[in-house]
Amino acid sequence: MKIAFVGKGGSGKTTLSSLFVSYLAGAGKPVLAIDADINQHLAVALGATEEQALAWPTLGEHMPMIKDYLRGDNPRIASADAMIKTTPPGRGSRLVRPFEDNPVFDACFRPLGGVRLGVTGRFDEDDLGVACYHSKVGAAELLLNHLVDGAGEYVVMDMTAGADAFASGLFTRFDVTFLVCEPTLRSVGVYRQYADHARDFGVRLVAVGNKVTDTDDVDFLTETLGDALLGWMTTSGHVRAAERGRTRPIGELEQPNLDTLASMLSTVDASARDWARYQRQGVEFHLRNAHAWGNDRTGGDLAAQVDPDFVLDPSVAAAS
């Protein structure tokens, strides 16, 4: 299953992402985690030191290698330079499994707390005024377009805040998207904005309350979110200790919060992927990007990269 975490900046999205990832890992489930947030705090939230996080290899800096590897011998793609972040897989492309060994994972991912973690990269001084953050997130989008996860495998991404996720087709790559919502009008407003944008694309959007302190907070979230609200996380001493550098085992999280994580996992496990739609939406956003900027940048017609008879699914990955 592919799972995304979104929400208003400061809502606790990264914190809840890390708790869910740790909950999966603590249950012995294989987890591939990707930090695609501009702030890049997931590694520290999972227990890395600031020094380790700063030294983590990034997907963004390995984009040329990622393109070259995923291209394989796909005859529709003349070179890695002709690929853009939305280039869909086709016959001859290299498909990847989340826990295999390959050059991309060897270069860009590292183990941390029972999790395989990759990060898109920080927005640094060299990027100021010349690039947007989505140039780094594009490496993650390209990887997810070629990634085939199987039963009992979990791919979790901490996304950019607010509606920034809609700057690409990345928001369609997930089976469940958890929107972290504080008990405030602004945070609920971000939920409604996200729901409006996602509605026409079949996105499974589930709200999870955060920073809940009393029954007034619960009542507010229940009244404003209705059936979209799965549960909520209360103010946590466990989380506060982690923020002060004293990481504790996930099993020591407060029981109500563990119950919410269990409900989230049950929601994920009850979801089913439509691989044909997954491929179709990937192609749709590729064609949009090709028309908007990709054709001009590469000097070619990127619509020719689409293999009309190809559908990404586990049987194809097994055969390749």
Side-chain angles (χ1 to χ4, degrees):
M1 305 300 296
K2 294 185 177 76
I3 305 115
F5 282 82
V6 299
K8 181 182 73 67
S11 63
K13 173 178 59 64
T14 297
T15 297
L16 191 49
S17 299
S18 67
L19 290 174
F20 186 68
V21 165
S22 298
Y23 183 75
L24 291 173
K29 300 180 184 297
V31 188
L32 181 81
I34 301 175
D35 189 352
D37 187 13
I38 191 170
N39 294 314
Q40 297 284 278
H41 290 155
L42 186 58
V44 172
L46 288 172
T49 65
E50 290 286 353
E51 291 75 16
Q52 289 172 325
L54 288 171
W56 215 270
T58 70
L59 290 162
E61 67 187 354
H62 288 90
M63 184 64 141
M65 181 271 287
I66 292 172
K67 287 181 176 181
D68 190 58
Y69 182 78
L70 297 179
R71 180 173 71 95
D73 58 4
N74 186 333
R76 294 176 175 273
I77 305 173
S79 68
D81 290 338
M83 296 179 74
I84 61 174
K85 64 180 183 177
T86 56
T87 295
R91 283 168 290 189
S93 298
R94 281 199 181 98
L95 307 179
V96 296
R97 304 298 297 258
F99 303 102
E100 69 181 15
D101 292 322
N102 62 50
V104 172
F105 289 136
D106 290 345
C108 304
F109 287 77
R110 297 289 182 271
L112 177 63
V115 174
R116 198 174 205 182
L117 175 67
V119 304
T120 53
R122 296 174 183 268
F123 200 69
D124 55 38
E125 290 186 4
D126 292 339
D127 299 313
L128 295 177
V130 298
C132 72
Y133 186 65
H134 300 286
S135 62
K136 299 180 186 294
V137 177
E141 183 173 0
L142 189 62
L143 183 61
L144 287 193
N145 280 341
H146 292 74
L147 183 70
V148 182
D149 46 309
E153 297 177 334
Y154 297 85
V155 179
V156 181
M157 182 176 286
D158 184 15
M159 296 276 280
T160 52
D164 279 356
F166 292 99
S168 72
L170 188 58
F171 74 96
T172 67
R173 304 292 85 189
F174 304 98
D175 302 294
V176 178
T177 297
F178 289 115
L179 190 141
V180 182
C181 194
E182 296 171 276
T184 66
L185 287 174
R186 287 185 60 195
S187 198
V188 170
V190 169
Y191 169 81
R192 290 172 175 162
Q193 180 186 40
Y194 205 104
D196 286 343
H197 288 326
R199 185 171 292 114
D200 293 336
F201 296 94
V203 173
R204 178 80 187 280
L205 184 63
V206 178
V208 179
N210 194 34
K211 303 182 183 178
V212 169
T213 60
D214 53 32
T215 56
D216 287 344
D217 288 344
V218 174
D219 291 343
F220 175 82
L221 290 171
T222 302
E223 292 167 5
T224 54
L225 296 173
D227 293 341
L229 180 66
L230 175 69
W232 52 87
M233 305 291 286
T234 60
T235 302
S236 170
H238 181 281
V239 170
R240 184 56 57 86
E243 291 172 344
R244 293 169 175 167
R246 299 194 298 270
T247 304
R248 302 171 179 172
I250 189 64
E252 295 182 12
L253 185 67
E254 298 83 2
Q255 191 58 51
N257 293 331
L258 285 172
D259 292 342
T260 297
L261 293 176
S263 296
M264 293 167 65
L265 178 56
S266 295
T267 299
V268 168
D269 286 342
S271 301
R273 180 177 307 152
D274 182 341
W275 283 101
R277 185 179 72 182
Y278 189 84
Q279 180 75 11
R280 185 172 64 251
Q281 288 180 330
V283 168
E284 174 187 346
F285 279 95
H286 175 65
L287 295 177
R288 289 189 185 192
N289 279 267
H291 177 73
W293 59 271
N295 290 343
D296 289 341
R297 179 172 297 182
T298 63
D301 180 9
L302 299 184
Q305 294 180 346
V306 176
D307 186 339
D309 299 320
F310 181 86
V311 175
L312 182 71
D313 65 35
S315 65
V316 173
S320 66

